Amino acid sequence: MRRLNKRKALNLVKELDAFPKIPESYIETSTSGGTVSIIAFTTIAVLSIMEFFVYQDTWMKYDYEVDKDFSSKLRINLDITVSMKCHYIGADVLDLAETMVAASEGLKYEPTVFELSSRQRMWQRTLQKIRRKVQEEHSLQDLLFKSAFRGSPTALPPREDKLSYPHDACRIHGHLYVNKVAGNFHITVGKAIPHPRGHAHMAALVSHDVYNFSHRIDHYSFGEPIPGIINPLDGTEKIAIDHNQMFQYFITIVPTKLNTYKFTAETHQYSVTERERVIDHAAGSHGVSGIFMKYDISSLMVTVTEQHMPLGQFLVRLCGIIGGIFSTTGMLHGFVGFLVDVVCCRFKLGAYKPKAATALDGHINNHSVPILDDCEH
């Protein structure tokens, strides 16, 4: 009884078989079918390899949300060389809350030479080319995010030759912590002194003949510094054409959280527009000679996350490639075979020709039923 039930169950399973096996004696192979099979297998192999490379790659996803952190301090990192001696100039920050941050709290003044050596000039030109490419191609910025902390340092390399002439410039480098509100970082003539209505610079004792605000920005960023990230102002160099000249940079800062498979960091991206003009009070061009970087902080925060294709999605796409190519090539092969049969007269109207029948006595019987010839293959 149990054997009988087992046989019935097996027969039922056999009837539900969706993949019946066809005896080899019923299978007919052809040259055209073999050619289509070779093309199909080659296409499957190529697309599968390409899909595997896509599976190995990662991409950056950008999400936007409101920045709710307004109590923390904002860090400004800078390395600027001005073509004036250090005792002639001063740097500080004044924000919208009229809070002044003196440069002595984190910046260093180092006498140097404004002209770069051949090695340093080559480094600067390379940095400028990369910066322009990053601004043109946003995908390069994603590549920099992925390679952060593993990329080459962007700091100016040390001078390889010995100085044969005196120092004519001042390198201001270091970092400052400021309030997370809009502000103005500036370098101008004279050291900064506190003032009840803000601050002032002791510029009266400096002659206008020594004014020269030609400058080079080797590095300028916000937040914790990340090696390998190139900022919009890195490598910028401006040459003054007049003693009384103002250089202005208008910066918009965007708080950024960076999450990759290698590290997690909180930093700040920024965009910048530039303006420069000669100070001429007689012509109506008023202002103060110097370098002014006015920054504002966006209320939106960007979260950049590195993502990867899940294994399940990769397997589904791979099955779709294999099954889709087999089905498509099978339909195309059948359709082409059908067209070949039409061209070869199987269904052509002129393929049916009447054949006269002969009577038993040797005479032709015109009233006999015509016999149809099959079309030759």
Side-chain angles (χ1 to χ4, degrees):
M1 189 70 180
R2 291 181 178 178
R3 291 182 179 180
L4 183 61
N5 293 334
K6 189 175 181 180
R7 287 181 181 179
K8 289 182 178 180
L10 291 176
N11 292 333
L12 180 61
V13 172
K14 288 182 180 180
E15 291 179 359
L16 297 176
D17 185 10
F19 307 98
K21 294 182 179 180
I22 302 176
E24 294 184 359
S25 58
Y26 295 156
I27 299 175
E28 180 181 358
T29 58
S30 62
T31 305
S32 61
T35 304
V36 173
S37 299
I38 293 174
I39 295 174
F41 288 130
T42 304
T43 306
I44 289 174
V46 172
L47 293 182
S48 298
I49 294 174
M50 294 175 63
E51 189 66 23
F52 179 73
F53 285 130
V54 173
Y55 170 71
Q56 283 188 322
D57 194 16
T58 60
W59 62 89
M60 309 304 290
K61 180 183 178 183
Y62 291 79
D63 296 318
Y64 302 89
E65 59 181 317
V66 176
D67 184 16
K68 300 177 182 179
D69 181 16
F70 294 103
S71 60
S72 62
K73 294 288 185 177
L74 176 65
R75 173 169 170 161
I76 303 177
N77 311 292
L78 60 98
D79 188 350
I80 302 175
T81 302
V82 184
S83 186
M84 291 180 66
K85 293 185 177 180
C86 292
H87 59 274
Y88 287 145
I89 59 177
D92 61 282
V93 178
L94 184 66
D95 58 25
L96 288 182
E98 296 185 355
T99 302
M100 187 186 75
V101 180
S104 59
E105 297 183 7
L107 298 183
K108 298 179 181 180
Y109 292 78
E110 179 183 333
T112 185
V113 176
F114 188 76
E115 186 64 28
L116 296 175
S117 64
S118 58
R119 176 188 173 191
Q120 290 175 329
R121 182 64 65 182
M122 184 179 299
W123 171 88
Q124 185 193 37
R125 291 174 180 173
T126 303
L127 182 61
Q128 290 174 347
K129 291 181 180 178
I130 296 175
R131 189 192 67 200
R132 286 193 293 266
K133 288 294 184 181
V134 170
Q135 293 174 350
E136 295 172 0
E137 298 290 340
H138 188 71
S139 58
L140 293 180
Q141 184 64 58
D142 295 346
L143 183 61
L144 291 178
F145 283 152
K146 295 178 186 179
S147 61
F149 288 107
R150 296 183 292 110
S152 301
T154 57
L156 181 70
R159 182 181 291 272
E160 71 277 9
D161 55 349
K162 294 183 179 180
L163 295 176
S164 58
Y165 39 89
H167 297 150
D168 61 351
C170 182
R171 179 191 175 199
I172 305 174
H173 61 97
H175 63 272
L176 293 170
Y177 286 96
V178 299
N179 296 325
K180 206 170 181 182
V181 295
N184 180 8
F185 170 80
H186 52 273
I187 302 173
T188 187
V189 178
K191 300 300 181 180
I193 56 175
H195 192 273
R197 295 185 178 179
H199 76 298
H201 287 261
M202 298 179 61
L205 302 178
V206 182
S207 173
H208 283 73
D209 296 334
V210 300
Y211 285 18
N212 184 4
F213 284 100
S214 299
H215 61 280
R216 181 178 62 253
I217 304 175
D218 296 325
H219 179 76
Y220 195 84
S221 66
F222 298 89
E224 294 298 325
I226 299 178
I229 298 298
I230 298 177
N231 300 281
L233 285 177
D234 292 354
T236 300
E237 184 175 275
K238 297 290 183 181
I239 304 299
I241 60 176
D242 193 272
H243 291 293
N244 295 325
Q245 190 162 351
M246 175 190 287
F247 296 91
Q248 292 177 304
Y249 299 91
F250 301 92
I251 300 173
T252 301
I253 306 170
V254 180
T256 304
K257 286 185 179 180
L258 197 57
N259 301 317
T260 69
Y261 290 108
K262 301 294 183 180
F263 67 95
T264 300
E266 292 188 6
T267 183
H268 292 75
Q269 301 181 85
Y270 67 89
S271 61
V272 60
T273 55
E274 306 172 7
R275 184 190 179 194
E276 58 183 81
R277 59 188 176 90
V278 176
I279 303 301
D280 188 356
H281 298 287
S285 178
H286 304 290
V288 179
S289 302
I291 304 167
F292 298 86
M293 297 182 173
K294 299 181 180 181
Y295 59 87
D296 194 6
I297 303 176
S298 174
S299 59
L300 292 179
M301 181 176 61
V302 179
T303 302
V304 184
T305 307
E306 185 177 8
Q307 291 190 335
H308 185 269
M309 181 187 296
L311 178 61
Q313 183 178 354
F314 168 69
L315 295 177
V316 170
R317 290 166 64 99
L318 196 62
C319 293
I321 289 174
I322 298 174
I325 291 178
F326 267 119
S327 300
T328 304
T329 51
M331 289 187 295
L332 289 177
H333 180 252
F335 181 71
V336 171
F338 174 77
L339 293 179
V340 170
D341 290 341
V342 170
V343 173
C344 291
C345 309
R346 176 171 292 182
F347 298 104
K348 197 172 181 181
L349 294 176
Y352 300 96
K353 297 179 181 179
K355 185 176 181 180
T358 306
L360 294 175
D361 57 357
H363 297 283
I364 297 175
N365 186 2
N366 293 331
H367 300 286
S368 60
V369 179
I371 301 175
L372 300 180
D373 266 346
D374 290 338
C375 178
E376 295 180 359
H377 296 283

